[in-house]
């Protein structure tokens, strides 16, 4: 897809400086890369979310020239960032799309409509990244997962790779420079997409994909 030429370029160019800086100042450790080596298809990376740097950090932890670059992210609509001060000028919209982050159409109560863009990109061979809790969860190690990752896995029929990120909460250029962080990114074993009979149970919100989403988040925290 032509729209993804720029994210591919951006993510490829950013890979070396991001990885070098995080290794030098954040003592970056990458575990579980062997779980990516045997993958023969695109995947959905499902990660915990404690920092705004999580997306770019994940890209930097993929092998150089990885088939998963450009990684397509599930982002919030630009309106969500309207009260974020100076960051509202950058977050969402065109800037996010340049990085490979496409907005979810939230509030529809319809996964097919909300995630239409991401399912389409996955079906053309692109890997996705989603934070199943939907928001930063630094103070809650076991946040309640939303069903989006379950729907994506079922609709695209591609594996889900759980990823645990730690050591970047409260990260700033100054704290990184002073060596206050020890960053670790761990890739877990891929989880096969759920079959139809596996997603018929619903939770209290009548969400048929929630059970699989909870399973995924459990795997994310097991590999820390």
């Amino acid at each position: 897809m032509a729209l993804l030429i720029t994210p591919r370029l951006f993510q490829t160019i950013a890979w070396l400086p991001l990885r070098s800086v995080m290794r030098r100042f954040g003592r970056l450790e990458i575990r579980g890369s062997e779980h990516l080596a045997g993958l023969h298809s695109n995947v959905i990376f499902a990660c915990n979310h404690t920092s705004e740097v999580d997306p770019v950090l994940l890209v930097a932890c993929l092998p150089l020239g990885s088939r998963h670059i450009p990684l397509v992210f599930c982002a919030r609509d630009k309106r969500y960032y309207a009260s974020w001060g100076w960051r509202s000028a950058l977050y969402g919209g065109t800037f996010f799309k340049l990085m490979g982050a496409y907005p979810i159409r939230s509030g529809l109560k319809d996964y097919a409509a909300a995630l239409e863009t991401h399912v389409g990109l996955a079906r053309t061979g692109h890997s996705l990244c989603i934070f199943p809790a939907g928001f930063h969860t630094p103070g809650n190690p076991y946040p309640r997962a939303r069903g989006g990752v379950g729907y994506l896995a079922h609709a695209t029929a591609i594996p889900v790779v759980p990823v645990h990120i730690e050591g970047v909460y409260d990260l700033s250029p100054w704290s990184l420079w002073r060596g206050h962080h020890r960053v670790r990114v761990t890739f877990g074993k891929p989880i096969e997409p759920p079959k139809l009979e596996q997603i018929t149970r619903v939770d209290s919100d009548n969400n048929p994909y929630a059970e699989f989403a909870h399973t995924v988040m459990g795997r994310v925290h097991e590999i820390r």
Side-chain angles (χ1 to χ4, degrees):
M1 184 174 289
L3 286 175
L4 289 176
I5 293 175
T6 301
R8 182 185 300 277
L9 180 63
F10 178 90
Q11 293 181 19
T12 300
I13 291 175
W15 185 93
L16 181 59
L18 283 170
R19 189 157 174 150
S20 299
V21 167
M22 295 306 293
R23 279 199 182 279
R24 170 64 179 84
F25 299 103
R27 294 174 287 176
L28 174 64
E29 180 183 3
I30 303 171
R31 294 182 174 183
S33 295
E34 68 274 11
H35 295 139
L36 304 181
L39 293 171
H40 302 294
S41 71
N42 55 327
V43 299
I44 300 166
F45 292 99
C47 315
N48 63 311
H49 199 11
T50 64
S51 170
E52 295 169 32
V53 305
D54 290 339
V56 292
L57 176 61
L58 180 59
V59 171
C61 290
L62 295 173
L64 182 61
S66 170
R67 65 174 295 153
H68 305 299
I69 294 176
L71 195 53
V72 176
F73 298 94
C74 297
R76 291 184 180 272
D77 186 88
K78 186 173 178 61
R79 291 170 295 182
Y80 174 79
Y81 305 102
S83 61
W84 284 42
W86 66 268
R87 291 178 296 179
S88 63
L90 296 175
Y91 284 29
T94 302
F95 179 71
F96 265 28
K97 288 182 180 179
L98 291 176
M99 297 192 303
Y102 291 80
I104 293 173
R105 298 172 62 193
S106 58
L108 300 178
K109 299 187 181 301
D110 181 343
Y111 285 116
L115 293 164
E116 180 181 8
T117 297
H118 299 83
V119 170
L121 290 170
R123 287 175 176 169
T124 59
H126 295 92
S127 289
L128 310 177
C129 175
I130 187 170
F131 301 100
F135 51 89
H136 295 180
T137 55
N140 181 3
Y142 299 103
R144 181 182 181 185
R146 302 183 181 186
V149 65
Y151 173 78
L152 284 174
H154 176 64
T156 63
I158 58 178
V160 176
V161 175
V163 184
H164 191 272
I165 300 173
E166 57 185 301
V168 291
Y169 173 60
D170 245 4
L171 183 144
S172 69
W174 178 242
S175 66
L176 188 62
W177 173 262
R178 299 187 66 182
H180 289 177
H181 300 270
R182 189 176 189 88
V183 181
R184 178 183 296 164
V185 176
T186 306
F187 296 96
K189 294 180 180 179
I191 306 170
E192 291 304 310
K195 295 180 174 59
L196 182 61
E197 61 270 20
Q198 293 175 303
I199 59 170
T200 53
R201 293 176 60 187
V202 299
D203 67 0
S204 59
D205 294 327
N206 200 37
N207 183 341
Y209 303 102
E211 184 178 3
F212 182 76
H214 297 332
T215 297
V216 170
M217 285 306 293
R219 296 283 186 88
V220 168
H221 292 287
E222 285 173 5
I223 62 176
R224 60 185 307 173

